[in-house]
Amino acid sequence: MKNITLALCGVALLLGSCNQTAPVESTPTAAAPSAPAAPAAVPPATLSTPPVNDTATAPAPAVAPSKLKEAETLKLSFAFKPAPNPDDPEHPKTSAFLKVQGSQPQEIDLGKFASKPDIVDADKAKLAGFPSGMLLGFRSYQASSGTSSDLAVLNVGGRRLRIVQRRVEETASEPGVFETSREIPLPPNTIVAPAKK
């Protein structure tokens, strides 16, 4: 009987010692997750060098001079054509046109005049009081009334052509004043000059 009691006590002690050691061994394991994790090794170049954006830093390509469009020179001249005169069929009028020669030619109607106009050169223009710096000009004289019709073409800032006209009475003490009759826009990157005769 004593032997059985001693055996039971030994088993109880053995079990008690096993239960006491388990929590001691498991304590470090439970605390391990709460410990701060060591930072991962990062290459020094990654921390100090920012990413490069090639699109933002690449310079814009320069335009090659050969691709720039050269300025086009437009040649100006007058053209005169007979026009019917219902009021006096025996004395037809003359239709005047401004011809613009270039990649996009134009023929601009300037109106009808009593007689075929005479082209005014630089010397005549100065004597007759035509605008300075005009490109082209002419005068149409009507003998029956003693009235002249003057017309001049001016270049305004390289952007448009200005047509100016006036009437000159022989009996007037002073010639009339030129007034703008119309303006014609010019294409971009163009130069205008009188056509060579």
Side-chain angles (χ1 to χ4, degrees):
M1 186 73 176
K2 289 182 180 179
N3 291 336
I4 295 172
T5 303
L6 288 174
L8 291 174
C9 288
V11 170
L13 288 173
L14 181 62
L15 291 174
S17 63
C18 290
N19 289 339
Q20 289 177 356
T21 55
V24 174
E25 292 178 358
S26 62
T27 301
T29 306
S34 62
V42 180
T46 305
L47 295 176
S48 60
T49 306
V52 178
N53 188 348
D54 294 336
T55 305
T57 57
V63 179
S66 59
K67 293 184 179 180
L68 296 176
K69 181 182 176 183
E70 294 183 1
E72 180 184 8
T73 301
L74 305 179
K75 299 295 185 179
L76 306 179
S77 61
F78 290 127
F80 305 113
K81 301 175 184 179
N85 184 2
D87 299 331
D88 188 1
E90 295 183 2
H91 298 87
K93 291 188 175 183
T94 301
S95 293
F97 299 90
L98 176 64
K99 298 183 70 174
V100 182
Q101 302 171 23
S103 58
Q104 298 178 348
Q106 299 181 63
E107 191 172 79
I108 301 155
D109 189 353
L110 301 175
K112 294 181 174 65
F113 296 86
S115 62
K116 184 177 179 180
D118 294 322
I119 303 296
V120 177
D121 59 17
D123 294 334
K124 291 180 180 179
K126 187 175 181 180
L127 292 173
F130 275 67
S132 60
M134 73 172 193
L135 297 170
L136 294 172
F138 66 69
R139 167 171 284 184
S140 173
Y141 176 70
Q142 187 176 15
S144 60
S145 65
T147 303
S148 297
S149 296
D150 296 344
L151 183 143
V153 181
L154 307 172
N155 181 359
V156 182
R159 296 184 178 180
R160 58 188 184 275
L161 296 176
R162 178 176 292 165
I163 311 298
V164 296
Q165 292 180 265
R166 72 174 178 183
R167 292 176 66 85
V168 180
E169 304 288 344
E170 282 184 339
T171 57
S173 59
E174 294 182 1
V177 178
F178 278 98
E179 296 180 355
T180 301
S181 62
R182 65 187 300 183
E183 290 190 346
I184 303 153
L186 291 170
N189 201 24
T190 54
I191 300 170
V192 288
K196 295 180 180 180
K197 296 180 180 180

